[in-house]
Amino acid sequence: MKSYNVCLKDTAKTFTKRLFYSLFDCVQEEEHGDYLETTFIEIVSKLEIENGKEIWETFKTQLPEIRKKLDLDAIAFESNDPASHSLAEIYLAYPGFYAISIYRLSHALYKLGVYILPRMMSEYIHGITGVDIHPGATIGESFYIDHGTGIVIGETSIIGKNVKIYQGVTLGGISVSKSLASTKRHPTIEDNVCIYANATILGGDIVIGSNSVIGANVWITQSVPENSLVTYQTEIKIRPRKNGIQE
């Protein structure tokens, strides 16, 4: 049987945490700079990826732009969540922001042709936050996740700017087949869309038009025009109890 370097999971976990810390803390950046480069090269070498040092140098040049995007994400969190008290709270205590941060870092590596490490990074943060964002997904500026638990965003999803997504939302594919690997299998969400809890949107041809609101619990397999409101209607009956016993 072939042997696999499964112990790299622990190495990738530590690498991911320190990379995140270094992005926002200058002291951590200074302290862990050599570790991050050495560990990255070690990981990709064990994954049989060539030119690790060159990839790392390119990735490093992208970190300032990633930080700028994450600052916009943090502002979106503070602007949209009435429970937030400061930007510091977003950076330090919001699992949704943590998930987006690791996504943006892993996405940059994914675009450089490094595939397994970004997946390891996304699975690490998935286990902590319950948010599952494939590093291949494309997500625009000022992305806001409220609560986050149970969110799934597939590899070929495209999400525009100023999009808000609540817990339990799935952006997925209609069918699972290896023959579809090179096709767009997941939806496109245009700018300024809000998707409420437990909505499911499936299919690579699906486009949710800009400025639309997708209500909770809906199941969508067809495109939605811009400026739409999509809701799922169900009847809930509320009536008084008699003698404390429900009829």
Side-chain angles (χ1 to χ4, degrees), residues 55 58-59 62 66 69 103-116 118-119 134-139 155 157-158:
I55 294 171
T58 302
F59 176 63
Q62 298 178 8
I66 293 172
K69 289 181 179 179
Y103 155 74
R104 295 210 183 277
L105 290 165
S106 64
H107 178 70
L109 288 173
Y110 193 87
K111 295 287 284 183
L112 291 172
V114 180
Y115 300 119
I116 299 178
R119 287 302 304 272
H134 193 288
T138 301
I139 300 178
E155 177 189 18
S157 299
I158 298 175

Side-chain angles (χ1 to χ4, degrees), residues 128-234:
I128 292 176
T129 65
V131 178
D132 185 1
I133 306 176
H134 193 288
T138 301
I139 300 178
E141 296 177 354
S142 301
F143 184 49
Y144 170 58
I145 290 176
D146 193 24
H147 299 293
T149 306
I151 285 176
V152 177
I153 299 175
E155 177 189 18
T156 61
S157 299
I158 298 175
I159 298 175
K161 299 178 181 178
N162 304 309
V163 170
K164 295 185 288 186
I165 293 183
Y166 287 73
Q167 68 274 13
V169 167
T170 296
L171 305 182
I174 289 180
S175 61
V176 179
S177 172
K178 193 64 176 178
S179 64
L180 300 175
S182 61
T183 63
K184 187 177 185 302
R185 307 180 305 280
H186 306 97
T188 295
I189 312 298
E190 294 186 340
D191 296 348
N192 307 310
V193 169
C194 179
I195 307 175
Y196 282 101
N198 300 313
T200 299
I201 305 173
L202 304 178
D205 296 331
I206 303 306
V207 177
I208 305 301
S210 60
N211 306 306
S212 293
V213 175
I214 307 301
N217 300 311
V218 299
W219 178 281
I220 296 177
T221 56
Q222 63 184 37
S223 292
V224 172
E226 62 182 27
N227 300 306
S228 295
L229 172 63
V230 182
T231 59
Y232 171 73
Q233 294 185 347
T234 184

